Structures are given as C-alpha cells and as structure tokens.
Amino acid sequence: MTLFLPLEPSSPVPASPSFLQVPSDHTVQLDKVLKAILKAKRIVVVCGAGISVKAGIPDFRSPEGLFQTLKRDNPKEVLASGKDLFDASVFHSENTTSLFCQMIARLSELSMAAEPTAFHNLLHTLDTRGRLLRVYTQNIDAIEQKSGLSFGVPPFEERRSKPRTPKPAGTDAEPGENIASTSRLPTPPAETPRCIPLHGTLQTVHCQICNHSYALADYHTSLLDGTPPECPECSAMEATRQLVGKRARGIGRLRPSVVLYNEAHKDGEGVGDVVRRDLMGQSKGKGRSGADLLLVVGTSLRVPGTKRMVREFAKAVRSRGKDGGSNRASPMPAVEEEQPVKTVYLNLDFPVPTREWEGVFDAWLQGDAQVFADMLQVEIDRETRAKEIASEKKRRKEEEDAGERGKKRKPASAPQSTGSPKRRKIANLPLTPPRSKPSSAPPTKLFLTIPSLRARKLIPEVYISSTRPPRSPPKLPPTPEKSPPRPTRRSARTKSKSERLLPALHDDNLRALRADEDLLPSLVRELHCGGS
C-alpha cells in the first residue's frame, strides 16, 4: 500500500491507483514523512523537469511543456510530437538537425539565465548537513551546479584484473619490463560528483567522430543559426594528414551533449558504476554504506533506464532497513504508524501505468516540489534552532560545573598571603624544635588562677619559672661494695619554693605539685582536675 498525502489537505483522492491508502490523520503522517527524510543519513534523489519549472525551464510532457510547444512553433514540419526532436533519428535529416540545434540554443539561453529554485537550495542544504548521498537528475539545465553541488560524471576505470605488484628496488628486471617507482605515492581517486546527469547537459558539445568535448557557449551562435559547427580537433588532424600525404578521413560535426531517445549515453559506463556503488555500498572508505532513503521528485518515470534504476534503489533501501533492524520476527504485525518510510514519490500525478508501481513507494506526496521544499526547510530550521539551544544549555552547564569544582578546590590550596604575618611565621615553624642549651635570659612570669579543692577560694597569683632547672643524673642502684647513703631529713628551713608561695593549698595538691613541679603542663592539668 502507498500512503496518499497531498500537500494541500483539501485535495480529493484520485480514483487511480487503487492501492492508495488514505491515512486517518493527514497531518501526523505528513510530519512522519518529513521526519523520516530529516533522520535519513544517505538520501538518494532522482529528480526530473518538475523541479526546474519555477526557474523558467519548461518541462516536457505537460500541456505547456516543450513537446507541445515545439509542435505548435513548427507547423510545417511533420512532427507527431516535440518528442521527435529528442530522438536519435533527428540527425538523419538536415532540416530536423537544424531544428534540434536551434531548440538546444534557446534552452541553453534559458538555463544560463535560470536561478536555483527552493528545491535546488534544499538539495544543497541536505548536502551541507551530510545527509545527501547522490542526486541523479534527468534535467539538462545543470542548475544543480549553480546551487552548489558538484556536477558531472566521473571517468570510468575498468578493473578486470588486479594490477601487477611492482618489484622492489634492487631486483633484476626482465628485458623491456618497466618497474614502477616505489618512492612515488599513488594518486588518490577523484571524488565522485554529488550530482550525476542521466541525460547529459547543455553545457558542452562533443564531436560525433573523435568524441572531443568543448564548451557549448563557444558555439552558441552557430547552433542558434541551425548549423552544427565543425570539430576543431578533426580539422587539425585532417590538415596534418594532407601535409604528410595521407588520405582524408572526414571532419566531424559538434553536437550538444544531450542523450536522446534510442541512443547510448557516451558516459554510460561511468554512470552505471556510480549507481552500482550507491546501491551496494563500497567495501571500504568514507560513505561505504549504500542509500537508506529514496526520494523521487518531479518526474513521470517514462524513461526505461530511470524506471529500472528507481526500482533497484527501492529494493535496496528497504532491504537495508530490514538488515539494520533486529532479525527476530515480530510477534504482532506492524501497525500503520510503525511502518518505516523508505521510498517517497513527490509529483502532481502518479506515474502510469500504475500497476507497475504497486509496492514501490511508501508514500505519494501530491503537490509542487517547491511547496514541499519550503515545508522541509521549516523543519530543518526548527531542528537547527533546537540543537543550538541545547548546545548553549550544555555550554552553560559545563561552565557552572567548572565554577563549582573550582570553589571546592579553593580551600585545599596553599595559604593566601592575606593572613597575619605572626600566624604565617608560626605555621612555618617545625613541629619539633631542636633542643638548645639553657639560656641565661631572665625567666618570664606566668600568672594562673588556681581554684581550691575544698574552700573553693581563689589564689590571686602564682609565680612559675618558664626555665626548667637542670635535671639531676639518674641515681644508680647500690652496689654490694657500697652501702646506700643514709636519707637526710629535710629541715624546716629548707623548704621548696612551692611550699613558701602556696601555704594554703591542700595537702593532696601539694604532694602532686612536689612530684611534678618542674613540668608546667602537668601542673596545669593537676590543678584543673582538682578544681572541677
């Protein structure tokens, strides 16, 4: 089934084809198609004359198209349709050849004056976003190149056999064998143009004998008169043959490089090689995957070669979508909203015969290509703005997080220079100062308020020397030869300094003070414990 999605919702449903499906919600399904195009990564576009009508280039088969116009402008000629001037048999008669040259000259003037349309600019936008794989155009006006796309057909390099590996330097070569230089790097392959002309172009003319190409603008006057110009290469070769006495071969005529009906494309092998790579994907390198979405725009699909190419691309993108998903079978059939959109046809009319296109397109967008381009461009701009806003929010969040981390790391940094000099000096002192000899400086006074144990009376002043008296050498245990000295009784006159200064202290505090009177920290700890 093919979804019928007119760009104007009020359009009636056509009676043909019979396999069209009208969605229940037109807006939702149309938005789904637009989003599918925006999410695709490798879009292949096959376009026809419908995208260039707004640029002033007539189409071929409409009532005001080129075929009907040529027939009305040449009533004396026996033309069933203007299509007869695009057949290879046009060169069988001088009259039809002259009409063909005049028509091509006028079309060349129109194409040179034409400006890219909204759809041409859309193709360039998709290319800059990295979503466009290839454009295959049936048009000969080359407006795609004006929009910024690379244009042309790459040269075909046939590789029927692998190239011989050059022998390394120093090995013996066979007589007459050329050895490739190992110091020379291989020439990188030329980039494939983004737009491939399927039916030639109005930009060049080529010789029918030697196949040399020249710019059409250099021979525009001769073509406008209806006279095919002579080939400069053939003329020079013929003059050279006459000088050396060789027989004449004839001088070819230049003809526009436009592919006509019932003739082969002179660059057909190059076109076929690009189509094959886009269908199958490349084995290595950038862009190795094939197309993942097909968009056919502005063509009635009457040319056999284009019809076959569209069918092959439709099969390729659908099979690639299945391969890219899960291989497990779904237990429930997919509903309409879950079916992926892989092939889209955009044109005013559905191609005929309709039975040949059943199951090829997922959706038919009925309408003008320029209207569709404006709709898709709005979605692209909206998506771009959303990404910019998200990027700005992410940047601000990263800056805030960086500031938070900086604040957390700030206390752990080195001490700032705004602190007190005294405190900095103390902080830089070693934890355990080295011992020094007793100083002869006068002792400093330290005043403490010591509470009493029982009476809880306060003693106003206590004098404690900050210099520690020299320690007496440790007493050795008595030896058997010598008897221990007799303990001497302390007289009343020889009292300690603490006893003279603290007569009112309790006996328990006094004993504790006598035991550790040389250690100030111990004294302070004893006194505080006694007063609690």
Side-chain angles (χ1 to χ4, degrees):
M1 303 297 288
T2 301
L3 288 174
F4 174 66
L5 298 173
L7 300 183
E8 297 180 2
S10 58
S11 300
V13 181
S16 178
S18 59
F19 50 82
L20 291 181
Q21 180 181 2
V22 180
S24 57
D25 194 332
H26 173 272
T27 304
V28 171
Q29 290 298 324
L30 183 59
D31 185 66
K32 175 183 176 182
V33 174
L34 296 178
K35 282 184 168 53
I37 296 174
L38 292 180
K39 290 181 180 179
K41 298 180 179 180
R42 298 174 299 277
I43 303 174
V44 166
V45 180
V46 180
C47 55
I51 69 171
S52 299
V53 174
K54 293 295 179 66
I57 308 297
D59 61 354
F60 292 93
R61 292 179 172 83
S62 66
E64 298 298 328
L66 195 60
F67 290 166
Q68 298 297 329
T69 303
L70 291 172
K71 183 178 179 179
R72 290 196 303 265
D73 294 343
N74 301 276
K76 297 181 179 180
E77 303 298 330
V78 183
L79 296 177
S81 171
K83 182 180 177 181
D84 296 340
L85 292 181
F86 287 90
D87 193 274
S89 61
V90 73
F91 297 109
H92 297 171
S93 168
E94 292 184 1
N95 190 24
T96 54
T97 300
S98 178
L99 290 176
F100 173 74
C101 291
Q102 293 175 1
M103 177 195 63
I104 291 297
R106 289 193 295 268
L107 286 178
S108 177
E109 294 174 354
L110 293 176
S111 64
M112 287 188 292
E115 294 295 332
T117 64
F119 191 85
H120 290 98
N121 294 329
L122 174 65
L123 294 177
H124 178 64
T125 301
L126 294 176
D127 185 27
T128 55
R129 288 167 57 89
R131 305 300 179 90
L132 185 65
L133 177 61
R134 202 79 60 209
V135 175
Y136 293 95
T137 179
Q138 293 180 283
N139 300 331
I140 58 177
D141 48 38
I143 302 180
E144 295 86 359
Q145 188 176 16
K146 291 184 179 181
S147 67
L149 299 180
S150 54
F151 188 85
V153 180
F156 176 69
E157 298 179 1
E158 188 176 6
R159 299 179 179 88
R160 295 183 178 178
S161 59
K162 295 183 179 180
R164 297 181 62 184
T165 304
K167 293 183 178 181
T171 57
D172 297 333
E174 298 179 0
E177 182 181 2
N178 295 326
I179 300 178
S181 175
T182 57
S183 62
R184 185 175 180 180
L185 296 176
T187 303
E191 183 180 358
T192 304
R194 192 65 66 192
C195 182
I196 306 295
L198 297 176
H199 297 162
T201 174
L202 292 171
Q203 293 180 324
T204 60
V205 292
H206 66 277
C207 178
Q208 294 175 311
I209 295 179
C210 67
N211 209 31
H212 274 72
S213 297
Y214 304 91
L216 186 145
D218 297 338
Y219 302 95
H220 179 267
T221 303
S222 179
L223 293 175
L224 192 60
D225 294 338
T227 305
E230 293 183 352
C231 174
E233 182 70 19
C234 291
S235 300
M237 183 62 66
E238 189 67 19
T240 303
R241 293 180 65 86
Q242 290 181 1
L243 288 177
V244 297
K246 292 185 177 180
R247 62 183 181 86
R249 287 187 175 180
I251 299 176
R253 295 283 180 172
L254 298 180
R255 54 154 292 182
S257 299
V258 176
V259 182
L260 303 178
Y261 290 103
N262 300 316
E263 76 170 352
H265 198 310
K266 72 181 187 69
D267 298 323
E269 292 179 338
V271 174
D273 185 52
V274 178
V275 172
R276 179 187 58 80
R277 283 183 287 162
D278 291 346
L279 281 171
M280 307 301 296
Q282 299 180 8
S283 58
K284 59 182 179 178
K286 185 179 179 181
R288 59 183 178 273
S289 299
D292 61 354
L293 188 138
L294 173 65
L295 177 61
V296 183
V297 186
T299 173
S300 58
L301 296 177
R302 299 285 186 88
V303 181
T306 306
K307 290 170 59 176
R308 180 181 177 184
M309 184 178 68
V310 168
R311 291 177 179 277
E312 294 298 327
F313 270 114
K315 293 178 182 178
V317 297
R318 286 179 173 177
S319 63
R320 187 164 292 112
K322 293 179 181 179
D323 294 341
S326 175
N327 293 329
R328 294 177 298 179
S330 176
M332 296 294 293
V335 297
E336 174 185 333
E337 286 75 14
E338 296 179 356
Q339 292 179 353
V341 177
K342 294 289 185 178
T343 55
V344 180
Y345 181 70
L346 171 61
N347 200 31
L348 294 172
D349 301 316
F350 200 80
V352 292
T354 57
R355 62 179 181 275
E356 296 182 358
W357 302 103
E358 184 175 3
V360 176
F361 299 111
D362 297 326
W364 171 28
L365 304 182
Q366 185 189 46
D368 186 71
Q370 312 308 322
V371 176
F372 171 79
D374 294 337
M375 296 173 62
L376 191 59
Q377 188 63 49
V378 170
E379 295 296 328
I380 292 176
D381 296 340
R382 185 180 304 170
E383 182 180 292
T384 303
R385 286 194 300 268
K387 288 183 178 180
E388 290 176 355
I389 293 174
S391 177
E392 181 66 19
K393 288 183 179 179
K394 182 179 179 181
R395 184 185 63 82
R396 290 179 181 179
K397 185 177 180 181
E398 290 177 352
E399 291 179 355
E400 292 177 359
D401 294 344
E404 296 269 344
R405 290 192 297 267
K407 290 180 181 179
K408 292 180 180 179
R409 287 196 300 264
K410 188 175 180 180
S413 59
Q416 299 181 358
S417 60
T418 57
S420 172
K422 183 177 180 181
R423 301 182 69 177
R424 290 200 308 273
K425 184 176 181 181
I426 294 175
N428 293 332
L429 289 176
L431 297 178
T432 305
R435 293 184 178 181
S436 60
K437 295 182 179 181
S439 175
S440 61
T444 59
K445 292 183 179 181
L446 179 65
F447 295 91
L448 298 176
T449 300
I450 304 173
S452 175
L453 285 175
R454 297 180 180 178
R456 296 184 180 276
K457 295 181 180 180
L458 301 179
I459 299 174
E461 293 184 359
V462 176
Y463 174 77
I464 301 174
S465 175
S466 63
T467 58
R468 183 177 299 178
R471 293 179 179 272
S472 60
K475 297 181 180 180
L476 298 176
T479 60
E481 292 78 10
K482 295 182 180 181
S483 61
R486 295 177 63 183
T488 59
R489 183 175 297 176
R490 180 178 296 178
S491 63
R493 295 180 181 180
T494 60
K495 294 183 179 180
S496 67
K497 188 183 296 184
S498 300
E499 290 176 326
R500 292 196 306 269
L501 295 177
L502 304 175
L505 288 176
H506 193 268
D507 295 339
D508 296 336
N509 290 348
L510 182 60
R511 285 194 296 269
L513 179 62
R514 287 173 180 174
D516 293 328
E517 62 179 349
D518 59 333
L519 297 178
L520 178 60
S522 299
L523 175 61
V524 174
R525 183 166 55 253
E526 289 280 341
L527 294 176
H528 277 283
C529 291
S532 61

